[in-house]
Amino acid sequence: MNVRTAQELALPVGVTLDRFIMHSQSAFPYATGELSQLLRDIALAGKIINREINRAGLVDIAGANGTENVQGENQQKLDIVANIRFIRALKNGGEVCAILSEEDEDIIHTGNNHGKYVVAMDPLDGSSNIDVNVSIGTIFSIYRRVTLISEPASMADFLQGGRKQIAAGYILYGSSTMLVYSTGDGVNGFTYDHSLGEFILSHKNICSPAHGNIYSVNEGHYNSYPPFVKNYISHCKSKSYSGRYIGSLVGDFHRNLLKGGVYLYPSTKTDPKGKLRLLYECYPLAFIAEKSGGKASDGFGNILDIIPDSFHQRSPIYIGSAEMVKDVIKL
Ligand code: AHG
Ligand code: MN
Ligand code: MN
């Protein structure tokens, strides 16, 4: 009989997100811990949203009778629920003075005017995939405020431009739930262990492959794409690249980040500025792309260099493996 050693019987669980954040913070002697706390708040919101998503099917069954949920609230769409959960977690955390969300026209003041940070977020990305049990995500972007502490936050805090992000990331609710983020120094991924209720470091220092053989684009809109995008799609076909398109930006981006590939959401005749939102879809993923060695362009220049003029402005995006993004632009 093969007797297992004590080590084999009790394998280490790995590094928890909390410990990782603590270690990273200790590398900066003057860090006050506020950003660390904010990242923990985001992780907590992610866990709660993950729970809501996993219950979504059950809620629908209960909801079929027109009933209320256990809290006595009316049943709401999951992207609204995710929005509420996220805002609540950030308000309770106390580090954030204002939030910009895809779900709200205007910025949300948390009431914590002493908070040093603002967060832009897409609480639930890929919402058309909720009802059909396909991967969805949350995207977030963090800035240090530029307005005076103790005063209410303003537009200026959110319109600083992608280069001013101090941290960004996403949570992917897929076959497992993962948090991927960067504070500027490398990109790390944590997989959620349900039994422990903890995110565990599973993807240390993610490096985007310089090249890959996956292209992700909604080819249904092919006829209205600009000529260079059509040329690039032909190029992908001539190379027999694999077409992979979930329709959840977070899922498509994450797959390409790990395997090598490019995601395209060009301008179309109906959406001349593209569909995706600069502040809480394009910037944060461009930040992650760049910090992992990848690239993001709007077809003219680097996404991160665009200076925005409104909260919900859109941009075309070509993002992923550096060489592939260069190929798109070259054409
Ligand atoms: P959201 O669910 O936050 O509105 O975002 C949906 C986005 C993105 O996740 C996805 O890649 C894209 O819309 C898909 O758009 P098409 O259906 O036009 O391809
Ligand atoms: Mn989205
Ligand atoms: Mn959304």
Side-chain angles (χ1 to χ4, degrees), residues 102 122 124-127 218 221 245 247 249 263 265 275 281:
E102 184 192 23
D122 178 353
L124 211 61
D125 171 71
S127 37
N218 185 341
H221 301 308
Y245 190 75
L249 172 64
Y263 176 97
Y265 209 108
K275 176 185 180 188
E281 291 179 319

Side-chain angles (χ1 to χ4, degrees), residues 191-204:
T191 301
Y192 186 55
D193 181 327
H194 290 259
S195 59
L196 295 174
E198 296 269 13
F199 283 102
I200 308 287
L201 180 62
S202 53
H203 295 64
K204 201 172 173 207

Side-chain angles (χ1 to χ4, degrees), residues 79 102-103 122-129 137 139 217-218 221 225 245-250 252 263 265 271 275-277 280-281:
D79 39 9
E102 184 192 23
E103 301 298 335
D122 178 353
L124 211 61
D125 171 71
S127 37
S128 66
N129 281 325
I139 314 175
V217 64
N218 185 341
H221 301 308
Y225 288 156
Y245 190 75
I246 302 171
S248 287
L249 172 64
V250 172
D252 282 308
Y263 176 97
Y265 209 108
D271 288 313
K275 176 185 180 188
L276 299 180
R277 316 285 186 144
Y280 39 81
E281 291 179 319

Side-chain angles (χ1 to χ4, degrees), residues 271-316:
D271 288 313
K273 293 194 163 165
K275 176 185 180 188
L276 299 180
R277 316 285 186 144
L278 193 54
L279 269 73
Y280 39 81
E281 291 179 319
C282 303
Y283 278 162
L285 297 188
F287 187 84
I288 295 292
E290 204 161 291
K291 300 299 173 194
S292 62
K295 215 172 159 50
S297 168
D298 67 347
F300 298 99
N302 195 307
I303 288 272
L304 294 171
D305 291 329
I306 302 172
I307 301 295
D309 45 44
S310 62
F311 292 148
H312 299 282
Q313 101 183 46
R314 298 169 196 267
S315 171

Side-chain angles (χ1 to χ4, degrees), residues 48-283:
I48 297 170
I49 295 168
N50 177 65
R51 189 184 64 183
E52 303 277 3
I53 290 168
N54 288 330
R55 289 178 58 237
L58 289 172
V59 171
D60 270 355
I61 292 166
N65 295 329
T67 52
E68 293 173 336
N69 67 10
V70 279
Q71 276 89 279
E73 298 160 342
N74 288 327
Q75 244 99 77
Q76 301 204 55
K77 283 182 67 187
L78 210 47
D79 39 9
I80 306 297
V81 173
N83 192 38
I84 294 169
R85 292 293 188 193
F86 229 96
I87 293 169
R88 204 176 282 161
L90 294 181
K91 273 188 179 169
N92 291 342
E95 316 300 341
V96 173
C97 57
I99 303 162
L100 171 67
S101 164
E102 184 192 23
E103 301 298 335
D104 296 283
E105 201 49 46
D106 236 320
I107 56 175
I108 301 141
H109 294 276
T110 59
N112 308 317
N113 283 347
H114 284 91
K116 281 186 190 162
Y117 301 100
V118 298
V119 172
M121 63 167 182
D122 178 353
L124 211 61
D125 171 71
S127 37
S128 66
N129 281 325
I130 296 173
D131 302 349
V132 288
N133 216 351
V134 174
S135 300
I136 46 184
T138 294
I139 314 175
F140 61 90
S141 160
I142 305 175
Y143 299 85
R144 191 169 282 115
R145 67 185 297 180
V146 288
T147 47
L148 287 178
I149 301 262
S150 85
E151 307 240 321
S154 80
M155 271 182 99
D157 293 312
F158 290 94
L159 302 181
Q160 299 183 45
R163 293 269 169 224
K164 292 288 165 74
Q165 293 175 102
I166 58 159
Y170 58 84
I171 302 162
L172 171 64
Y173 314 98
S175 46
S176 58
T177 294
M178 272 192 77
L179 168 68
V180 175
Y181 81 96
S182 174
T183 50
D185 182 20
V187 175
N188 291 286
F190 300 79
T191 301
Y192 186 55
D193 181 327
H194 290 259
S195 59
L196 295 174
E198 296 269 13
F199 283 102
I200 308 287
L201 180 62
S202 53
H203 295 64
K204 201 172 173 207
N205 198 17
I206 299 174
C207 293
S208 165
H211 214 285
N213 60 5
I214 297 173
Y215 72 107
S216 312
V217 64
N218 185 341
E219 285 201 56
H221 301 308
Y222 180 88
N223 288 343
S224 72
Y225 288 156
F228 77 95
V229 175
K230 289 181 177 171
N231 289 344
Y232 185 72
I233 293 173
S234 305
H235 167 77
C236 293
K237 291 182 173 170
S238 73
K239 298 258 181 201
S240 297
Y241 288 169
S242 293
R244 293 281 184 274
Y245 190 75
I246 302 171
S248 287
L249 172 64
V250 172
D252 282 308
F253 174 81
H254 182 72
R255 180 201 52 242
N256 295 353
L257 174 65
L258 298 187
K259 296 199 162 183
V262 65
Y263 176 97
L264 312 107
Y265 209 108
S267 54
T268 60
K269 288 195 181 104
T270 43
D271 288 313
K273 293 194 163 165
K275 176 185 180 188
L276 299 180
R277 316 285 186 144
L278 193 54
L279 269 73
Y280 39 81
E281 291 179 319
C282 303
Y283 278 162

Side-chain angles (χ1 to χ4, degrees), residues 21 34-48 85-86 89-96:
I21 291 174
E34 286 145 313
L35 178 61
S36 301
Q37 187 51 46
L38 171 50
L39 291 167
R40 286 191 197 100
D41 297 338
I42 289 174
L44 173 64
K47 289 182 197 175
I48 297 170
R85 292 293 188 193
F86 229 96
L90 294 181
K91 273 188 179 169
N92 291 342
E95 316 300 341
V96 173

